[in-house]
Amino acid sequence: MTNYTKWGARWSTLGTLLCGSALSLTMAGTAFAQDTATADEAKAETGREEILVTATRREKSVLDVPYNISALDGKAIEQRNVLDETELLRSVAGVGVIDRGARNSGTLNQIRIRGLNIDSNALGDYAVSSVASVSTYVNDTPIFANFLLRDLERVEVLRGPQGTLYGSGSLGGTVRYITRKPQFETFGGSIAGSASNVDGSAGIGYTIDGVLNVPLGSTLALRVVGSWADYPGITDYVNVYELDGNGIPVAPNGVLASDASYKSVKDADWVKQWMTRATLLWEPVEGFSANLVYAHQEDDIGGRRAQAIGNDGWGEPYGRYENGSVQLEPSTQNVDMAALEMEIDLGFATLTSSTSYYDRMGDSTSENTGFYAKAGFLPYYYNYPRPMASAVRDFRDKAWTQEVRLVSDGGKLFDYVLGAFYRSQDTVATQGSYLRGIKQWWDEWAPAAADAVTGDQDFAYRRNEHFEELAVFGELTWHATETLDFTGGFRYFDNSSKNDTFIDLPLYAGVFSPTTATFETDENDVLFKGSLSWKFASRDLLYATVSEGYRRGGTNAVPLTGVFAENPDWQVYKADTVINYEIGLKGRRGGITYDLSAFYVDWQDPQLNTATTNWGFYAVINGKAARTQGIEAQIDGYLGDALHYSLGYTYVDAKLTEDVYIPGNSVTPVALDGARLPGVPEHLLNWGLEYNAPVSSNWDLFARIDGSYQSGMRNALGTTAKFNVPLGGFSLWNATVSLSNGPFRTSLWMKNIFNQRGVTGVYTEAYMGTSPADGYYGSGAKELISLPRTVGISASYSF
């Protein structure tokens, strides 16, 4: 067992900051008068409802939470016709996302808060071992599944580590999607639909959504949500092989000839998604409630939304929305989630139990021919006509969790939260790589040695991991005065994991033998949090927080003997940890709501998803150290009664503070001290301006224009331009106009008004480009682009 806590240093740093903050606030305290404002008073002042959140496990205003948090109301998300999680999170200050489109959007969590990322932006085709630096929740269930944004109460974005309040710990922050509960008194619902067209697409996309709320008595109610989305796609795969009945490239002049037959597939990245969610709420007596939620979603995607770079093998440049892959790249995802959440009022505290289970799985096919060509494999190992390397990947992630929390009722002197969390998780990731047609060619070229080649599969990989986590966590808040609070928090965790890995190169008979490797590891630690908050006026809060976060370690389980042996230093990767220092000021003055914070994050042993040196096992390694620092600022207010504005700005300076080496090589670094962390723009800006007012006795008008800007960033770590290339900055603008008459609403909307490419990741030509000398005339080099200009119309009716 390994304990990573450096007790003395942590307590010294924590104590110095909090004592200094307490002294400064006490000295300044006499300068201000205090009268505590309630949510009702805030409404009376502004004339508008205030969003209440449960991020601290108690319902309170965002302005009373002593760390940086944003909340988006579900009605506002619907009004704005937000299409997906990427668009939603771009409207939140300080949140970065890598936009991959719908393909593999549920495979890998690419939310980035406060710059805590060292993985390549191009990562995402397969499930990695390392967990995300930002945790995501649906209600109280820790899950990442990219559910459609339908019938939400609100979305909460919490910046910084949250392990002292949430069962699932986090390194950089937490995003919570909170669904609407059934209503006992009202039978009703809504039906909505939309039609849209995307620049580059020849078709019309549409969505159909429905909500039904059914009271089943005075203590029981059911709410059912259903959603279907069908989008035609924009990307043209312009040089795809014609395939025969066995999925092998057609040979027009015989198997031994070098020519091939190609076709173009229009709008290949089509998207079909459907989601259903049912919620049953039971409140048989006062002080007790049980909420049972089941959700299911299926995604079926035709290809990758990406744009090829450079020229094809015939020297012709690729055009906009053209993909150079010689094969289609479909993907699927299915997810089921069930959760039972119960609350009981004990008089002095509320006891909450959350029991949940989820099972999500998916698969995809990826173009790998360009990778083999640029890696030098095709000329020596895969040299056959019409090369077509397919990487077929599957993943599965299933877990059940149990969380119990005891949250005290508001006390005059102390408040507390105490919880316990258990998770049992099983993950599987596989890859089968195929050289489509090599067996057919070999049998023609060397019939006397036909048995030497076993088939088209050249690589087989499977990783199974079982992970268990037990944690106890909590916070205690001391109300030192009516205006001054001290909070201390802790988290103890004990984790264990077992990893089994299988690898084989089955192409050539008798040359390689399959290998398996098994390894187990465990870790435990205690993390701490301390904060001080001072409400120096009725609408203003000053706070300082020091919080520790961690991301679990694990094992790569690489073989250490035999043909596939790797250096033993690859066997295990450590947990990475952060100490997050934050000071902030938030409040409301003259009808303007403001939030300003500065942060510094010390990141030790950052985890990097990569592959082993010898045989390319998917693996995680640890760097030594990095740090991020910056500011986050938001304002929100009204100009008159009808015009609402919001503005957010984030500055992030994120760098390595020590060189990164691969295991077993302490001479040649793969990334250098001082290198910018990838996928982290230095400047992020988001804005919104909306008008909401009646235009007649029956009709109301809602109009909004919003957007986001991010400055340039790096594509990946590295000392060469094969991966580490700059990506330019870009801005995206959206607009919507709606008219409503009672229960009826119709909207006209546009996304990405100026049709920016919005590149957030790239597969370079040096990594996956064309190679006509090896018979590869396509290209795997591509840019991941944002959704092009999209124009749509929506209508909804509530009853």
Side-chain angles (χ1 to χ4, degrees):
M1 242 174 226
T2 305
N3 192 315
Y4 297 102
T5 306
K6 298 179 177 63
W7 297 85
R10 292 181 178 183
W11 278 109
S12 175
T13 304
L14 179 63
T16 300
L17 180 68
L18 292 184
C19 289
S21 300
L23 179 61
S24 64
L25 294 183
T26 302
M27 293 173 63
T30 58
F32 295 91
Q34 164 68 27
D35 69 312
T36 302
T38 66
D40 289 339
E41 290 172 326
K43 182 181 178 182
E45 177 189 10
T46 63
R48 296 169 181 90
E49 293 286 352
E50 187 169 1
I51 298 178
L52 301 179
V53 297
T54 55
T56 61
R57 298 308 188 184
R58 291 181 182 85
E59 189 176 83
K60 61 173 58 179
S61 165
V62 170
L63 299 180
D64 293 328
V65 177
Y67 52 82
N68 201 337
I69 176 176
S70 296
L72 300 99
D73 182 69
K75 292 180 181 178
I77 294 172
E78 293 166 358
Q79 274 188 317
R80 300 173 192 178
N81 294 285
V82 174
L83 295 182
D84 56 24
E85 179 186 67
T86 298
E87 180 189 348
L88 176 74
L89 294 178
R90 277 186 173 136
S91 68
V92 180
V95 181
V97 287
I98 304 301
D99 191 355
R100 306 184 180 284
R103 184 182 183 272
N104 298 124
S105 60
T107 303
L108 200 61
N109 179 348
Q110 288 293 300
I111 306 170
R112 294 168 182 178
I113 296 178
R114 294 187 171 169
L116 293 175
N117 172 75
I118 63 172
D119 284 337
S120 166
N121 294 7
L123 196 67
D125 274 17
Y126 59 91
V128 298
S129 297
S130 179
V131 299
S133 64
V134 175
S135 64
T136 57
Y137 275 77
V138 175
N139 298 324
D140 279 339
T141 300
I143 180 176
F144 173 76
N146 200 41
F147 281 113
L148 294 175
L149 304 175
R150 302 293 189 268
D151 201 42
L152 296 178
E153 184 66 31
R154 65 183 179 277
V155 177
E156 298 178 1
V157 179
L158 292 66
R159 301 168 183 84
Q162 302 297 326
T164 60
L165 281 172
Y166 289 85
S168 177
S170 66
L171 198 70
T174 297
V175 179
R176 301 181 66 212
Y177 299 92
I178 300 169
T179 62
R180 290 182 181 137
K181 290 184 177 180
Q183 300 174 7
F184 294 119
E185 305 299 329
T186 305
F187 175 86
S190 65
I191 186 168
S194 73
S196 60
N197 176 255
V198 186
D199 184 64
S201 176
I204 299 296
Y206 67 90
T207 64
I208 300 174
D209 305 304
V211 179
L212 185 63
N213 189 91
V214 183
L216 300 174
S218 60
T219 62
L220 188 66
L222 174 68
R223 191 176 187 91
V224 180
V225 181
S227 183
W228 169 258
D230 188 333
Y231 302 109
I234 64 158
T235 306
D236 300 334
Y237 280 59
V238 293
N239 38 235
V240 174
Y241 285 131
E242 294 271 7
L243 304 179
D244 64 19
N246 296 315
I248 295 171
V250 169
N253 294 306
V255 173
L256 298 180
S258 60
D259 57 336
S261 179
Y262 298 89
K263 64 179 180 179
S264 178
V265 180
K266 300 281 290 182
D267 298 342
D269 59 324
W270 47 263
V271 177
K272 299 181 188 296
Q273 298 172 296
W274 76 272
M275 183 270 289
T276 185
R277 183 173 70 241
T279 305
L280 187 65
L281 178 61
W282 183 44
E283 294 184 358
V285 295
E286 185 178 355
F288 174 80
S289 67
N291 195 54
L292 179 63
V293 182
Y294 169 75
H296 173 83
Q297 182 167 312
E298 296 182 13
D299 299 352
D300 194 7
I301 318 297
R304 191 192 304 270
R305 191 178 76 203
Q307 187 167 290
I309 302 171
N311 300 334
D312 61 25
W314 298 277
E316 295 295 324
Y318 286 105
R320 193 166 193 183
Y321 310 140
E322 291 186 344
N323 190 315
S325 172
V326 294
Q327 60 191 303
L328 297 177
E329 300 176 286
S331 74
T332 67
Q333 181 195 238
N334 295 276
V335 58
D336 289 278
M337 185 200 82
L340 175 61
E341 299 162 358
M342 296 184 291
E343 285 189 0
I344 182 169
D345 186 351
L346 301 177
F348 63 93
T350 300
L351 180 64
T352 301
S353 169
S354 174
T355 307
S356 62
Y357 173 82
Y358 70 80
D359 186 356
R360 66 185 189 97
M361 63 187 73
D363 62 75
S364 65
T365 298
S366 299
E367 162 71 303
N368 247 19
T369 322
F371 165 73
Y372 286 143
K374 292 302 181 180
F377 297 155
L378 279 173
Y380 305 106
Y381 188 40
Y382 303 98
N383 190 15
Y384 73 106
R386 297 167 299 280
M388 177 179 164
S390 302
V392 179
R393 300 179 173 112
D394 300 271
F395 75 89
R396 187 170 189 180
D397 175 10
K398 59 181 181 179
W400 78 268
T401 64
Q402 176 62 56
E403 181 173 346
V404 179
R405 293 187 309 276
L406 186 66
V407 180
S408 67
D409 294 343
K412 291 185 178 180
L413 190 59
F414 292 103
D415 288 327
Y416 61 84
V417 175
L418 184 63
F421 177 79
Y422 175 77
R423 168 164 43 193
S424 177
Q425 182 180 23
D426 291 285
T427 61
V428 179
T430 74
Q431 178 172 324
S433 294
Y434 300 86
L435 292 170
R436 308 293 188 185
I438 194 171
K439 173 63 173 173
Q440 182 188 66
W441 168 80
W442 178 267
D443 290 349
E444 288 277 341
W445 186 73
D451 292 341
V453 173
T454 62
D456 284 355
Q457 186 170 7
D458 69 303
F459 178 75
Y461 172 85
R462 182 180 180 90
R463 183 189 74 237
N464 294 272
E465 182 178 22
H466 176 70
F467 170 73
E468 289 192 28
E469 176 181 15
L470 178 63
V472 179
F473 57 92
E475 289 190 358
L476 177 66
T477 298
W478 171 38
H479 305 297
T481 71
E482 291 184 356
T483 63
L484 192 64
D485 290 343
F486 292 87
T487 298
F490 80 99
R491 179 187 183 86
Y492 168 79
F493 63 87
D494 190 343
N495 300 341
S496 64
S497 66
K498 179 181 180 181
N499 193 326
D500 297 300
T501 304
F502 169 85
I503 189 172
D504 189 20
L505 299 179
L507 185 64
Y508 295 118
V511 176
F512 301 102
S513 298
T515 298
T516 58
T518 300
F519 200 81
E520 297 183 38
T521 186
D522 55 74
E523 60 187 358
N524 62 80
D525 202 351
V526 180
L527 306 176
F528 294 99
K529 171 185 176 180
S531 72
L532 179 152
S533 64
W534 177 41
K535 201 156 191 178
F536 60 86
S538 63
R539 303 288 190 271
D540 302 278
L541 182 74
L542 177 66
Y543 65 89
T545 299
V546 180
S547 54
E548 295 183 308
Y550 92 108
R551 173 169 48 177
R552 67 177 177 89
T555 170
N556 295 315
V558 299
L560 303 180
T561 60
V563 174
F564 300 110
E566 298 282 358
N567 189 300
D569 293 341
W570 285 94
Q571 191 74 285
V572 175
Y573 61 97
K574 298 185 293 184
D576 54 350
T577 59
V578 299
I579 302 180
N580 175 82
Y581 304 90
E582 177 181 347
I583 186 166
L585 183 67
K586 61 171 66 176
R588 182 181 295 112
R589 288 295 175 107
I592 298 176
T593 302
Y594 67 92
D595 192 330
L596 175 65
S597 64
F599 64 88
Y600 179 91
V601 182
D602 180 12
W603 191 6
Q604 295 296 310
D605 304 313
Q607 294 176 5
L608 173 66
N609 287 283
T610 183
T612 59
T613 307
N614 298 338
W615 294 101
F617 286 95
Y618 296 129
V620 183
I621 65 173
N622 293 100
K624 291 186 177 180
R627 67 104 178 100
T628 74
Q629 59 186 359
I631 58 173
E632 298 155 336
Q634 304 170 83
I635 60 171
D636 184 287
Y638 286 83
L639 300 173
D641 294 329
L643 196 60
H644 175 216
Y645 64 89
S646 61
L647 179 66
Y649 169 73
T650 303
Y651 167 77
V652 182
D653 178 21
K655 295 180 179 179
L656 291 176
T657 53
E658 294 192 49
D659 295 344
V660 176
Y661 297 88
I662 61 172
N665 183 344
S666 59
V667 177
T668 306
V670 297
L672 299 175
D673 180 3
R676 283 182 59 188
L677 301 190
V680 183
E682 193 172 18
H683 303 280
L684 286 167
L685 189 67
N686 59 276
W687 58 87
L689 183 65
E690 63 186 36
Y691 179 83
N692 197 344
V695 292
S696 72
S697 59
N698 296 320
W699 291 91
D700 294 319
L701 172 67
F702 173 83
R704 177 181 173 87
I705 185 165
D706 59 56
S708 63
Y709 165 78
Q710 64 180 59
S711 61
M713 58 185 177
R714 308 301 297 187
N715 185 59
L717 286 176
T719 57
T720 70
K722 187 172 185 178
F723 304 104
N724 186 1
V725 296
L727 303 176
F730 61 89
S731 62
L732 302 174
W733 291 74
N734 310 307
T736 185
V737 177
S738 301
L739 284 172
S740 58
N741 184 339
F744 176 76
R745 187 181 72 197
T746 183
S747 303
L748 179 65
W749 45 268
M750 183 181 296
K751 310 295 182 182
N752 193 358
I753 295 172
F754 301 106
N755 208 22
Q756 295 287 295
R757 283 189 305 159
V759 177
T760 57
V762 63
Y763 297 76
T764 65
E765 290 185 90
Y767 176 50
M768 295 196 76
T770 190
S771 184
D774 303 314
Y776 179 52
Y777 289 86
S779 177
K782 50 192 168 278
E783 297 171 327
L784 305 177
I785 61 173
S786 298
L787 182 71
R789 182 191 297 119
T790 305
V791 180
I793 186 170
S794 303
S796 64
Y797 179 77
S798 301
F799 57 90

